[in-house]
Amino acid sequence: MSRLTVEASARTHIGLVRRHNEDAVYAGHHLFAVADGLGGHAAGDVASSTVIDTLKPYDRVHSPPDLPDVLGHAIHAASLALRDRIAIDPDAATMGTTLVAMLWSGTTAVVANIGDSRAYLLRDGDLTQISEDHTYGNLVADAADVPNLSEKIARFLDGRADGRSPDLSRRQLHSGDRYVLCSDGLSGVVPTGVMRAVLDSTTDPGDAAERLVALALESGGPDNITVVVIDVRSDDDDPVVETASC
């Protein structure tokens, strides 16, 4: 009997304006994540990389019913790691990061997000945003259609004791699904319709990720650009995961 497997590919690019890449990305076997260090905050790159590094050990097989608790615990641990980092480096006291992550097992996935990094699902030709932007200016369905929309983030990870918890949603995986995790360096400049056309017409997840990054660069690349394209397949082989940067 066939089972679901996953093939994924990640790309990140500094963009055409920023001096540093404050995004961090991970594409493992069961865990995928994008973190976007907040621009204008000290050590945004440290915040994003700290969170991603803390999540990595959770990239293993978990019981499907446990996925929400596991991913929630992992993100809480990442927040504590930020707090500990700030404790030894007061200059990083204002650092923070967004996060969007997906953890899967069997036929189930859990998606978590905090901030304005996004998760999308392409199913049967329809591309749907399955995460909610945590921004003060979240008054429209597609920020890419409103170039002057404020990017003030209402919720993000910063290690504070009061905690800023992510949204968690359970997803039922179907063969043929294509999930996308990305920073706003992609979603903020490439309209959803354009993303859908690329994702629907590109078979290989690596080719799709590269094309999406290229489109963001063609649109001026004003921010760091990071994307993970995750394909769900019905196959008896082990998942094949490619991780690359450009």
Side-chain angles (χ1 to χ4, degrees):
M1 182 176 179
S2 63
R3 61 186 175 87
L4 294 182
T5 63
V6 164
E7 180 180 358
S9 188
R11 299 289 188 272
T12 187
H13 196 289
I14 193 173
L16 302 177
V17 175
R18 304 284 188 179
R19 291 187 175 184
H20 305 286
N21 193 344
E22 295 186 321
D23 289 357
V25 62
Y26 180 73
H29 291 286
H30 288 268
L31 175 70
F32 313 94
V34 171
D36 180 357
L38 298 183
H41 287 64
D45 56 337
V46 175
S48 61
S49 61
T50 296
V51 166
I52 293 297
D53 287 344
T54 306
L55 295 182
K56 288 178 182 179
Y58 295 86
D59 180 22
R60 58 183 185 271
V61 177
H62 301 277
S63 173
D66 294 339
L67 291 176
D69 288 341
V70 171
L71 190 52
H73 177 79
I75 295 172
H76 178 67
S79 183
L80 293 179
L82 288 178
R83 185 189 65 183
D84 293 344
R85 185 63 183 258
I86 291 169
I88 63 175
D89 184 7
D91 290 339
T94 60
M95 72 178 180
T97 184
T98 70
L99 176 69
V100 59
M102 175 176 163
L103 182 67
W104 76 278
S105 182
T107 61
T108 303
V110 169
V111 174
N113 77 284
I114 184 167
D116 62 352
S117 292
R118 291 183 176 182
Y120 293 90
L121 169 62
L122 179 74
R123 177 177 287 172
D124 299 327
D126 293 326
L127 183 66
T128 305
Q129 182 181 340
I130 58 173
S131 60
E132 180 180 352
D133 295 345
H134 301 142
T135 59
Y136 293 115
N138 185 23
L139 304 176
V140 294
D142 191 346
D145 294 333
V146 185
N148 296 322
L149 183 68
S150 171
E151 293 184 355
K152 293 181 179 178
I153 306 203
R155 288 164 57 189
F156 54 91
L157 293 177
D158 60 2
R160 293 187 181 182
D162 57 3
R164 297 186 178 183
S165 59
D167 293 339
L168 291 168
S169 63
R170 189 188 298 269
R171 316 293 307 185
Q172 188 70 23
L173 299 178
H174 294 170
S175 179
D177 284 350
R178 171 167 277 183
Y179 287 84
V180 177
L181 311 181
C182 67
S183 64
D184 67 332
L186 173 63
S187 60
V189 297
V190 179
T192 299
V194 176
M195 291 177 59
R196 187 206 64 78
V198 170
L199 293 166
D200 197 38
S201 63
T202 310
T203 301
D204 181 75
D207 290 344
E210 288 182 2
R211 182 58 184 149
L212 291 173
V213 170
L215 286 170
L217 293 172
E218 291 169 10
S219 298
D223 201 351
N224 308 141
I225 309 154
T226 302
V227 58
V228 183
V229 178
I230 306 157
D231 285 354
V232 181
R233 307 185 189 282
S234 180
D235 198 316
D236 288 330
D237 296 331
D238 290 334
V240 177
V241 177
E242 173 193 0
T243 306
S245 300
C246 62

